Amino acid sequence: MITVEQALGIIRQNIPPAQFEKMALMESLGRVLVEDVFSDVDMPPFDKSAMDGYAVRSEDIQSPPVELEVLEIVPAGSMPTREVKPGKAIKIMTGAPVPRGADAVIMVEKTKYEPSTRTVRCLSTIKKNANICFKAEDINAGAKVISRDTKITPQVIGLLAAVGKDKAQVYKYPSVAIATTGDELVEINQKPNGAQIRNSNTYSLLSQLVNIGMPVTSLGIVRDNIEIMMEKVSAGLKSDMLILTGGVSMGDYDIVEDVLKKLGVRILFDQVAIKPGKPTVFGIGPKGQLVFGLPGNPVSAFVITEIFIKEALSLLCNDAGIKNRIIEAELAAPIASTSNRQQYLGARILQDGLVEPIDGHGSADILFLSRADALIIVPPDAPQLAVDSHVRVMVF
Ligand code: AMP
Ligand code: MG
């Protein structure tokens, strides 16, 4: 049986080359840039006032109070028409161009305007250059402002907008289809009876993918019947990635792997030394599609998605942020369970950097999973772990 690291290695080796697309700025939020971005303007584009106040010659007001004649008012968006000469001032708003002759802006709070004489009384001294943002002090026209491989966050969107990028060249997201298999499954608006259970996997899986911005379609519930499954899987293979849940164990009706092989999917592994999720299947479709068969148990399907599917997606989209962070933490409670497989145990991060394992009843216990915000990674054949042991933790 291959290890988790070997399985990840096989996935990494089989990721098809990244694809790119051009998107409208707002659609590109969350994507990763393919191109360096350069500014087409200086920022600020002109010497601009950082305050509402009066543009003055600093030397004129070295012995306050000083009266200056107010020549005009310059709102943001207007050009000054006059020059500040000795004894003069120009009223100026934040963001307006500083008039010729002025070398500082005194804020309005430190002045008093006298309408009858159209003069302003300056009540304090000011240093040369005070409250002026100089042309190009932030960015020079032509300078690189964002490097390729940067993730487009709201902060980056603001910069892209400022440099006039109304479209961005980004890594294309794969199309993803999911299908869940099982004769026992009923939809969530139905009350299960007899041997039935509700289909929860479709919804946890959809939300795991939607949460990272992935476009995903659900093919719904597929019955454990070769012909029906062939039809659904064929439809699913039109996507770049197909994820199936259930039907990969050793039961008589676990036919997913057979169906995949019949449809030309090359199986690259079908067992991993991982707990939960040992029977996980990974293969490559005839057109290079990535195909995952996850165990049907909800906790297994969830955990394998966090580990293997997010690895594949992060490489396809060149976005390490899709993967969960791995941190080191101290155990707040002991871990008694041992295994020859690598374990991923549901856990909660406590405020003080401690991590607390959550007791569950195994890979169907969806209640305990709902309380977890992390997985403690226990290597294969690790001894029982005492309180205060250092462990690696995957944080959702
Ligand atoms: P399987 O991997 O098909 O053998 O299923 C393993 C267990 O997971 C069984 O108890 C199934 O009933 C359960 N299961 C399979 N698919 C789902 C699903 N979509 N939602 C919830 N439980 C499921
Ligand atoms: Mg099944």
Side-chain angles (χ1 to χ4, degrees), residues 270-282:
D270 61 4
Q271 275 207 337
V272 184
I274 187 170
K275 188 178 176 185
K278 177 174 141 192
T280 297
V281 172
F282 173 63

Side-chain angles (χ1 to χ4, degrees), residues 297-300 358-371:
N297 267 315
V299 179
S300 311
I358 306 176
D359 268 336
H361 293 125
S363 43
D365 190 346
I366 203 162
L367 177 65
F368 108 91
L369 179 65
S370 74
R371 293 171 181 165

